[in-house]
Amino acid sequence: MTTTTDSTYKVADTSLADEGRLLIEWAESRMPVLMALRERFKETKPLQGQRIAGCLHVTKETAVLIKTLAAAGAEVAWSGCNPLSTNDAVAAALAEEGVRIFAWYGQSVEDFYWSIDRTLDFKPTLTLDDGADLIFRVHSTHPDLMQTIIGGSEETTTGVHRLRAMADEGKLKYPVIAVNDAETKWDFDNVYGTGQSSLDGILRATSVLLAGKNFVVGGYGHCGRGCAMRAKGAGANVIATEVKPTAALKATLEGIRVLPMDEAAAIGDVFITATGMKDVLCKRHFEVMRDGAVLCNTGHYDCEINIGELEQLAVSKRTVRDNCEEYTMADGRRIYLLAQGRLVNLAAAEGHPSEVMDMSFANQFQAMMMLAREGKSLSNGVHVLPEALDQEIAGIKLESNGIKIDQLTPEQEAYLRDYAAGT
Ligand code: 3DD
């Protein structure tokens, strides 16, 4: 691994920049909402003077967000939020465009935090996070920076949970906007994005036939539901496991079989975890799995599959395909782990498609704008974006797809407020 370093960037290989530029162009052509925001603010530059430290998967879609933030006047420094999710060609293109970027595929955990620290060197005024590792790093090792940080944003469910827990204990020292909680993020990215990108990762790593296979989804939240929907569409027999009765009931009513993982483990062919919880798959499950079972995770952290216990049970291990390791058990059964248990959609594929990240990142852009405008008056807690923003983002999306919708007439608007109009 050779990394090219300069005081303002560290990437795997700057010679990949041309390939990265083509990937970014591809994404830009499928992200009309972000491009409309870039057009709207490129002259007035409302983020002028803001220094944004970002810690979010370095993909072709993230590059479009970075370029849009820069076009609106912000200075940007960036690191990846997972050691295996950086697209090195995109990182090279961003470095060539002068972005302070510290990210490369296959980082060690030490590299990961070294990269975050480099983005903090430029003393950000805003932080933009996916999984809250950046915000937590500021709180734990760079508390002095909180003098200059106005606020931050958080992309993902797990990160928002983590920040709410910090805020509940009074430990969150600056305001954060939960981008994940915007409807045009969670109800689209988490469902349709995760559903398609997770299957993309599984198929790139294994090329297994999904039709007819027992496909076990650990967790039937928005992400798990998306994975179940897409696996069902591919002809798999989908089984969901849950700890929350309402989520399990929703799976049941959507025609998905629900089992405890202890039972599903014995009949599953493909397993994907999407819970945000640790040890969803562990020793007692590996011991009963079928020969050839494929395991992967699409949750933010790599704690959902207990890899230590899988290693202990295995008598041998070898890499048989890119992002696919074969663990052989003492009785000869082979179990396949994808992407080292890290999020399979980004580590073995390209993450969610541009079209859906367009809306997630439009919310990130608006979160930065809101913090720049009023961050100093927000309390040190977790905040949400105005609901009207969802309708605006969805409206631009519909328009870009040439889809027209109805409008309420003045009489209908009046009817909405007419509480006396009963039966
Ligand atoms: N995530 C998924 N696909 C992504 C992509 N193409 N670019 C950047 C990030 C991407 C992860 C997060 O945006 C979000 O889906 C989450 O909740 O983690």
Side-chain angles (χ1 to χ4, degrees):
M1 154 66 75
T2 56
T3 58
T4 313
T5 183
D6 182 304
S7 59
T8 57
Y9 66 80
K10 182 167 186 173
V11 296
D13 181 353
T14 49
S15 71
L16 299 172
D18 288 345
E19 178 193 342
R21 228 188 334 278
L22 284 173
L23 286 169
I24 296 169
E25 279 175 37
W26 175 274
E28 284 176 337
S29 66
R30 287 164 173 75
M31 299 178 87
V33 184
L34 266 190
M35 299 307 282
L37 289 168
R38 193 184 296 184
E39 192 58 30
R40 190 190 306 176
F41 294 113
K42 68 182 184 183
E43 303 302 334
T44 53
K45 297 195 182 298
L47 292 177
Q48 194 80 46
Q50 296 300 336
R51 295 189 303 281
I52 300 173
C55 180
L56 200 154
H57 308 287
V58 178
T59 66
K60 58 190 187 297
E61 291 77 19
T62 301
V64 181
L65 169 61
I66 290 171
K67 289 178 69 176
T68 305
L69 291 168
E75 280 184 85
V76 178
W78 214 268
S79 63
C81 68
N82 185 288
L84 297 183
S85 64
T86 291
N87 179 308
D88 287 329
V90 169
L94 288 169
E96 193 179 71
E97 293 197 15
V99 174
R100 290 179 181 80
I101 177 141
F102 307 89
W104 57 96
Y105 185 94
Q107 282 185 324
S108 66
V109 173
E110 189 189 357
D111 294 333
F112 175 80
Y113 284 102
W114 177 89
S115 299
I116 288 181
D117 289 344
R118 295 298 70 71
T119 66
L120 295 175
D121 287 347
F122 99 137
K123 303 220 178 316
T125 57
L126 298 171
T127 60
L128 192 155
D129 226 322
D130 185 337
D133 282 328
L134 169 60
I135 296 177
F136 194 74
R137 187 75 171 172
V138 170
H139 281 71
S140 55
T141 58
H142 300 75
D144 51 307
L145 289 179
M146 288 196 263
Q147 306 301 322
T148 46
I149 293 176
I150 299 167
S153 66
E154 171 52 49
E155 173 81 7
T156 198
T157 313
T158 303
V160 171
H161 284 166
R162 199 176 169 190
L163 293 168
R164 286 218 156 89
M166 278 178 78
D168 290 348
E169 286 190 18
K171 298 277 198 306
L172 186 60
K173 299 303 180 196
Y174 60 77
V176 175
I177 294 178
V179 166
N180 183 72
D181 293 6
E183 184 185 358
T184 44
K185 194 276 176 182
W186 65 263
D187 209 4
F188 296 85
D189 170 321
N190 298 16
V191 181
Y192 306 105
T194 309
Q196 177 167 323
S197 64
S198 299
L199 261 64
D200 189 4
I202 292 169
L203 293 175
R204 292 195 198 199
T206 66
S207 88
V208 292
L209 176 71
L210 294 177
K213 290 284 192 331
N214 288 343
F215 192 98
V216 180
V217 182
Y220 202 74
H222 305 307
C223 296
R225 211 172 111 237
C227 296
M229 195 191 298
R230 294 301 168 242
K232 198 172 174 184
N237 307 311
V238 183
I239 296 160
T241 71
E242 254 296 344
V243 294
K244 191 177 174 189
T246 49
L249 185 58
K250 180 173 282 196
T252 306
L253 298 188
E254 290 178 346
I256 306 289
R257 190 178 171 198
V258 175
L259 288 175
M261 187 59 89
D262 287 0
E263 292 177 33
I267 61 172
D269 299 303
V270 179
F271 296 79
I272 188 163
T273 57
T275 68
M277 181 46 68
K278 69 174 188 172
D279 298 342
V280 178
L281 289 176
C282 54
K283 183 170 182 287
R284 68 179 190 277
H285 302 125
F286 307 140
E287 287 172 333
V288 301
M289 280 179 182
R290 286 178 170 174
D291 178 33
V294 172
L295 316 183
C296 67
N297 163 56
T298 199
H300 186 79
Y301 296 122
D302 65 340
C303 60
E304 305 207 23
I305 298 171
N306 189 317
I307 299 162
E309 290 184 352
L310 184 59
E311 300 269 1
Q312 283 164 3
L313 283 174
V315 294
S316 69
K317 163 186 161 184
R318 58 181 181 147
T319 298
V320 290
R321 296 171 60 102
D322 284 351
N323 289 303
C324 183
E325 292 167 301
E326 177 191 75
Y327 289 77
T328 302
M329 302 293 110
D331 61 8
R333 284 175 305 117
R334 293 153 300 178
I335 294 176
Y336 297 94
L337 176 68
L338 308 188
Q340 300 168 40
R342 291 202 179 275
L343 15 71
V344 68
N345 58 341
L346 283 146
E350 298 174 48
H352 305 346
S354 307
E355 293 86 341
V356 76
M357 293 312 301
D358 189 22
M359 295 197 286
S360 302
F361 287 165
N363 283 294
Q364 279 287 4
F365 180 88
Q366 295 291 9
M368 294 292 108
M369 293 279 282
M370 182 172 155
L371 288 167
R373 265 195 325 269
E374 53 193 275
K376 290 187 174 113
S377 61
L378 292 176
S379 65
N380 292 347
V382 179
H383 302 266
V384 293
L385 287 162
E387 195 266 340
L389 210 49
D390 279 319
Q391 304 312 325
E392 183 191 333
I393 289 171
I396 300 172
K397 203 70 181 167
L398 286 168
E399 196 180 329
S400 67
N401 292 340
I403 297 169
K404 291 186 173 53
I405 63 173
D406 295 330
Q407 304 289 335
L408 287 179
T409 63
E411 292 74 21
Q412 289 172 320
E413 290 283 1
Y415 176 78
L416 276 181
R417 294 186 299 275
D418 182 1
Y419 56 83
T423 309

